[in-house]
Every structure is written in structure tokens, then in C-alpha cells.
Amino acid sequence: MRSAHNISEYRERIRRIVQSVAVLPDEQMNEFLNLFQLEVYPKNSIIITPKTTKNKLYFLVSGLVRIYYEAEGKEITSDIKEENSFFLNGYYLYTGLPNFDYHVTMSPTVVLSADYDALEALSDRSHEIEHMGRKLVELHYANFLISNYNQLFLSAEERFDVFQRERASLLNKIPLKYIASYLGITPETLSRMRSKKT
């Protein structure tokens, strides 16, 4: 029976993203892409937990992944990963300290994943791969800084305006309580803001 998933097409998506930040010789690009293998998850699957110590780099092919942590008995959404984005167990990987967040699918989800140790070994052998990895980390860090700036210095209404401008499709895909949590406001405040904008 023929697989419904075209891994080659999924790897091509990664190729296009990588080529937007760095140029790799074909042989090294193919070696990098071949590290990524298919994983399929139903809705509400937990991909990463605070106990996860296996390091993988994930590429989200389809679906949605909510990243959240627990504080004072509440779930606080820190990010929502959409298709064509990367994610990993970064806190544990970069600090060696126990992870504190969960990565949970919000719909049936398809990812490609690559073992981080294998990626590191490939980086050790190739300056171009190492450079590409650094550029991807810089891109991720820039987005992290922008998100933190927005949380610290923008008003709730300004944060909602940015979200509506940059991630409007999510407003109809996921429960508003998660968006409210991500924006640092109550669901009631979010509802009022939405009504004012329509």
C-alpha cells in the first residue's frame, strides 16, 4: 500500500527554508535532509514533556503544536507552532537543566524529526552545515526577542493587533483561551478586543 505521506516533498520544504538563510553544497544539503524522518501524531499527543531528555529537531509539516508551561495551577501558552516551523527541547538542550514546558499537538500533526546528536556530528564535519545551523538559531532567537519585547513593552491591545496582523489564521483554528494565555490577557478581554475590531 502506498504511503499517504511524501517525505521527499516534506524534505524539500526544509530545503527551501534552509536555502533562505544559507547556501549548502548539494551533497551536504542531502546529507542534512536525510537525517529527518517521519513522525505522525493524533490530536492531543504530547511530543515533549518536562521529562524529555532525548534531543530532536522537529519540523512541523502539518498541524499545530502548542507550547505551554504550568504555573500556579494554570497552563500558560508560550508559543503556538504552525506548519513549516522548527521546534526542539531547547531549554534542556542549551542549559542541561530539566525542561519545564510541554509541546502538545492541537490537531492531527505530521512532523519530520532529526536526532540532534546526528545533526551535531554532521556540523562537526562541515563548516557549511555549522554555519547554516547558526543562521537558523539566529532566526529563532530574533523571533524570541521580538516576542519578549512585545510581552514586556506593548499594551494588551497592541499585542492583539500584532497577533491579528501576523497570525490571524489561528483565530479560527484554536480555542481563544490559548490565544488569550499567549497574549497574557483573559479570554474575556480577548473577546472584547475582537468585538471592537469587527
Side-chain angles (χ1 to χ4, degrees):
M1 182 173 153
R2 190 165 175 261
S3 168
H5 295 286
N6 185 339
I7 298 176
S8 296
E9 190 275 324
Y10 301 160
R11 287 174 176 161
E12 277 303 308
R13 288 201 220 168
I14 298 176
R15 182 192 299 270
R16 288 192 292 272
I17 291 169
V18 167
Q19 286 174 330
S20 72
V21 297
V23 177
L24 289 179
D26 285 344
E27 184 179 337
Q28 291 174 16
M29 175 70 85
N30 291 335
E31 196 174 356
F32 170 72
L33 293 174
N34 286 335
L35 292 178
F36 286 87
Q37 303 301 318
L38 182 71
E39 294 184 26
V40 179
Y41 295 94
K43 183 178 179 178
N44 296 323
S45 297
I46 301 174
I47 300 176
I48 297 173
T49 77
K51 294 183 178 179
T52 301
T53 55
K54 179 68 176 168
N55 290 317
K56 289 183 179 181
L57 176 63
Y58 294 92
F59 176 74
L60 186 53
V61 173
S62 63
L64 291 168
V65 173
R66 181 170 74 104
I67 304 172
Y68 72 90
Y69 60 93
E70 295 176 339
E72 299 176 357
K74 295 181 182 176
E75 293 180 358
I76 310 297
T77 301
S78 59
D79 202 358
I80 300 157
K81 292 296 183 183
E82 300 177 75
E83 129 178 350
N84 295 328
S85 62
F86 292 97
F87 63 92
L88 50 69
N89 185 8
Y91 191 78
Y92 173 78
L93 179 66
Y94 297 131
T95 68
L97 299 171
N99 186 36
F100 59 87
D101 58 17
Y102 296 81
H103 292 58
V104 179
T105 63
M106 302 188 72
S107 61
T109 296
V110 176
V111 299
L112 293 184
S113 70
D115 179 81
Y116 202 83
D117 290 340
L119 288 168
E120 282 286 281
L122 186 55
S123 294
D124 287 345
R125 298 196 311 271
S126 164
H127 170 70
E128 289 87 356
I129 295 279
E130 182 182 44
H131 174 74
M132 176 270 296
R134 180 174 61 80
K135 298 303 284 183
L136 287 174
V137 168
E138 285 175 2
L139 189 61
H140 172 76
Y141 188 56
N143 290 331
F144 172 77
L145 289 175
I146 290 167
S147 177
N148 271 9
Y149 174 89
N150 291 348
Q151 288 293 344
L152 291 170
F153 299 111
L154 298 186
S155 68
E157 191 159 337
E158 288 169 330
R159 291 197 302 275
F160 176 64
D161 287 343
V162 170
F163 188 88
Q164 197 170 34
R165 187 172 60 248
E166 297 178 356
R167 309 186 81 178
S169 65
L170 289 179
L171 288 167
N172 298 316
K173 287 183 182 175
I174 64 175
L176 290 183
K177 65 180 181 178
Y178 297 140
I179 296 172
S181 172
Y182 173 70
L183 294 173
I185 59 179
T186 65
E188 294 75 20
T189 300
L190 178 57
S191 292
R192 281 196 301 274
M193 287 179 179
R194 287 190 78 197
S195 349
K196 275 169 48 177
K197 301 287 181 186
T198 55

